[in-house]
Amino acid sequence: QVQLQESGPGLVKPSGTLSLTCAVSGASISSDNWWTWVRQSPGKGLDWIGEISHSGSANYTPSLKSRVTMSVDKPRNQFSLKLSSVTAADTAFYYCATLYCSSTSCYYPGWGQGILVTVSS
Amino acid sequence: QSALTQPASVSGSPGQSITISCTGTSSDVGGYNYVSWYQQHPGKAPKLMIYDVSSRPLGVSNRFSGSKSGNTASLTISGLQAEDEADYYCSSYTNSRGIFGGGTKLTVL
């Protein structure tokens, strides 16, 4: 069963860049799954940020598209999220997840434990 | 795409059944069988409970079931137990983008 683990700074200064990494175990990042980032502001619901395939093809939510970059590191079996020009509104728990998608099925079978990132000076 | 619509809260007594609805559009919930449901306990990551509208992953209790009619999907939990108290999120996938519902807080009275 795939396991995911987020890592990165828990505190980022306003206008800075949030950088997180998700280590994948139990599956190859070169599989057909898509690798996803979801965030959750404290006390709020889940917000889809975007996804990336092993080939580097990425889809981002329109509201963050100008500030988001995702990448894949095949040798290390991990993928990453960068979010630039952050503000307090970007303070949230950030989860990485794997998306299994076929012609008849799409769902997120695996999630990381989440990491709280606070934007503050 | 806007978030899927869920009731903010539902409640039930132990042993009872409850249903949580998830309303989307013909472009997401109504157009594909890509509806999934996630359970989230406080401070924990979401956990897959239902996928493909009504399929259960191995290890998930058969007290959890899913269905869909038109643009609305539903999650039913029968024989409520105290451990079921959590937040529940529906999800769909369309146009190369994931969509989540706003979440429903289930309280077991």
Side-chain angles (χ1 to χ4, degrees):
Chain A
Q1 185 169 346
V2 62
Q3 294 186 319
L4 304 102
Q5 177 70 58
E6 305 88 349
S7 62
L11 181 64
V12 181
K13 294 186 185 303
S15 77
T17 297
L18 178 159
S19 296
L20 297 175
T21 296
C22 181
V24 179
S25 58
S28 170
I29 203 155
S30 296
S31 69
D32 289 337
N33 289 357
W34 284 72
W35 307 99
T36 304
W37 289 97
V38 175
R39 71 180 183 179
Q40 185 174 35
S41 300
K44 302 297 183 181
L46 301 173
D47 291 319
W48 185 86
I49 299 173
E51 63 190 12
I52 188 167
S53 71
H54 64 85
S55 66
S57 178
N59 301 305
Y60 304 135
T61 191
S63 62
L64 297 176
K65 190 173 183 178
S66 63
R67 299 195 290 130
V68 171
T69 303
M70 295 183 185
S71 59
V72 170
D73 186 339
K74 292 182 182 180
R76 293 179 175 167
N77 215 46
Q78 63 186 31
F79 61 106
S80 298
L81 167 71
K82 291 188 185 297
L83 181 65
S84 64
S85 304
V86 297
T87 69
D90 295 310
T91 294
F93 287 91
Y94 286 77
Y95 294 97
C96 59
T98 181
L99 170 71
Y100 171 78
C101 216
S102 69
S103 59
T104 58
S105 189
C106 266
Y107 55 93
Y108 301 95
W111 294 73
Q113 65 183 27
I115 184 169
L116 175 62
V117 179
T118 301
V119 178
S120 175
S121 56
Chain B
Q1 252 82 12
S2 301
L4 306 175
T5 301
Q6 298 181 231
S9 63
V10 297
S11 63
S13 300
Q16 288 186 331
S17 294
I18 63 95
T19 296
I20 300 172
S21 62
C22 170
T23 301
T25 69
S26 58
S27 296
D28 39 64
V29 172
Y32 309 91
N33 285 335
Y34 293 164
V35 177
S36 52
W37 290 90
Y38 303 85
Q39 176 191 66
Q40 187 180 37
H41 286 111
K44 299 295 186 181
K47 174 188 175 184
L48 177 67
M49 304 301 285
I50 295 288
Y51 66 97
D52 297 351
V53 176
S54 59
S55 296
R56 270 189 315 275
L58 287 175
V60 172
S61 171
N62 59 10
R63 297 186 298 105
F64 290 82
S65 62
S67 63
K68 188 182 81 168
S69 178
N71 297 336
T72 298
S74 298
L75 172 70
T76 298
I77 308 174
S78 58
L80 269 180
Q81 299 179 0
E83 67 203 48
D84 299 332
E85 184 161 296
D87 293 327
Y88 291 85
Y89 294 90
C90 62
S91 178
S92 185
Y93 188 85
T94 185
N95 293 332
S96 300
R97 185 194 162 191
I99 311 169
F100 290 97
T104 299
K105 181 176 181 58
L106 169 61
T107 301
V108 180
L109 302 171

